Amino acid sequence: SSGINAEYGGDEIDLSLQSLTSSSLPLKDLAGLKKGKKLDLSKNQIVSLPDAFVSSMGHLVKLDLSGNGLTILPLTFGNMALLQHLDLFNNKLTSLPTELFKLKGLKWLDLKENPLEYPSPDVTGLCRNDAECRACATQVVLYMKKENTEQEKQKQKELEIKRAKKEALKRELERLEELENMEKKRTKQEEKSREKAKRRAEYEEKIRNQPKAKPDKKAPAAAKPTKPSSSSSSSFSFITVTLLS
């Protein structure tokens, strides 16, 4: 780091035209130069920035990455909260991370000569001069802020849908469990009924198969008293009348 410090003292660090690549960036050396608020990495061969670059370069106010082969910016790029001036001219960026909405202090942004699809040129403008680059910074940050809000709403909506599906699944499982319990109860009741009917049938079969008891001999019937005939009654009456006379 002493070499860099000696060669690039002050608040500006110029590492342009050094044939630097994504893997050869002297991150440890640069992280030690906290006074270096402005970093020029233009005209190198940097196709991407590691997350470690963002975490170690959070003190930067100005960053020049023009003339590299950048195809993407890290999602954490928005954490470079102090950044005011960002030059991305002549790269291969097709999109920018929504997290750029966090760069509330960004005042200047050049996106010329990039095959940018997101955000569209309607947002970025043409960046042909200083005024248009300033407008680009403002417009991009505002646009990304709106995009982030919409994305958060969408995430919330998806979360609610997921939660609703989970609740519906829970209710369905509870319903199926209740049906299963009812079926078990019905099956158990049927088994009880069958068992009861079986025991009754066995009992009735047992009764039917028991040997029948022999009937007792009948005693002779007692002679019924005979009623006196009408002629005997008349004779008795005659005798009674004769004796009385």
Side-chain angles (χ1 to χ4, degrees):
S1 73
S2 57
I4 292 179
N5 197 16
E7 190 173 352
Y8 305 108
D11 69 343
E12 293 192 32
I13 303 172
D14 187 356
L15 291 176
S16 61
L17 296 167
Q18 299 294 311
S19 299
L20 294 173
T21 64
S22 302
S23 58
S24 66
L25 284 170
L27 296 181
K28 290 183 179 180
D29 294 338
L30 292 171
L33 303 176
K34 297 297 182 183
K35 290 183 180 180
K37 304 293 183 181
K38 303 173 184 178
L39 176 60
D40 187 352
L41 289 171
S42 63
K43 299 180 177 63
N44 280 289
Q45 300 167 22
I46 305 168
V47 296
S48 64
L49 294 173
D51 288 333
F53 177 85
V54 176
S55 59
S56 59
M57 297 289 101
H59 58 282
L60 291 180
V61 172
K62 182 178 179 179
L63 177 60
D64 189 347
L65 289 166
S66 62
N68 280 281
L70 279 171
T71 58
I72 190 171
L73 293 178
L75 295 178
T76 55
F77 200 84
N79 293 335
M80 300 184 71
L82 300 180
L83 204 59
Q84 298 179 16
H85 185 112
L86 178 59
D87 195 340
L88 294 171
F89 166 72
N90 191 23
N91 278 284
K92 298 179 181 180
L93 294 168
T94 57
S95 65
L96 299 177
T98 308
E99 284 73 9
L100 288 184
F101 81 91
K102 296 179 182 178
L103 301 180
K104 298 178 181 178
L106 192 65
K107 297 177 181 177
W108 195 96
L109 175 61
D110 191 351
L111 290 170
K112 284 193 309 294
E113 302 299 328
N114 279 281
L116 205 60
E117 297 175 5
Y118 178 83
S120 68
D122 292 339
V123 176
T124 62
L126 300 177
C127 301
R128 293 169 299 188
N129 51 52
D130 185 72
E132 288 185 358
C133 287
R134 289 180 179 277
C136 176
T138 302
Q139 288 298 111
V140 167
V141 172
L142 285 175
Y143 179 80
M144 292 304 186
K145 185 177 181 180
K146 291 179 182 178
E147 286 290 289
N148 179 71
T149 301
E150 288 301 317
Q151 288 176 11
E152 288 299 319
K153 286 181 181 178
Q154 186 62 29
K155 285 180 184 178
Q156 187 63 31
K157 187 177 179 180
E158 290 173 359
L159 187 63
E160 289 174 359
I161 292 173
K162 187 176 180 181
R163 191 182 295 118
K165 286 182 178 180
K166 189 176 180 180
E167 280 297 318
L169 179 60
K170 182 182 177 182
R171 287 194 298 269
E172 180 64 13
L173 290 175
E174 288 174 350
R175 187 184 71 84
L176 292 175
E177 185 179 3
E178 184 178 358
L179 288 175
E180 185 180 1
N181 290 335
M182 288 173 64
E183 181 63 20
K184 286 181 180 179
K185 187 176 180 181
R186 186 185 66 79
T187 303
K188 190 174 181 181
Q189 190 65 35
E190 288 179 352
E191 288 175 355
K192 279 176 142 184
S193 298
R194 285 195 296 269
E195 187 63 28
K196 187 176 179 181
K198 181 181 177 183
R199 288 198 302 268
R200 184 176 181 83
E202 289 175 350
Y203 174 75
E204 291 175 352
E205 181 69 18
K206 184 178 179 181
I207 294 298
R208 284 195 299 269
N209 292 336
Q210 282 182 351
K212 295 181 180 180
K214 294 180 180 180
D216 297 335
K217 291 182 179 180
K218 292 184 179 179
K224 293 182 180 179
T226 56
K227 291 183 180 180
S229 61
S230 58
S231 60
S232 300
S233 177
S234 299
S235 299
F236 178 74
S237 299
F238 175 75
I239 293 170
T240 303
V241 171
T242 303
L243 287 175
L244 288 174
S245 35

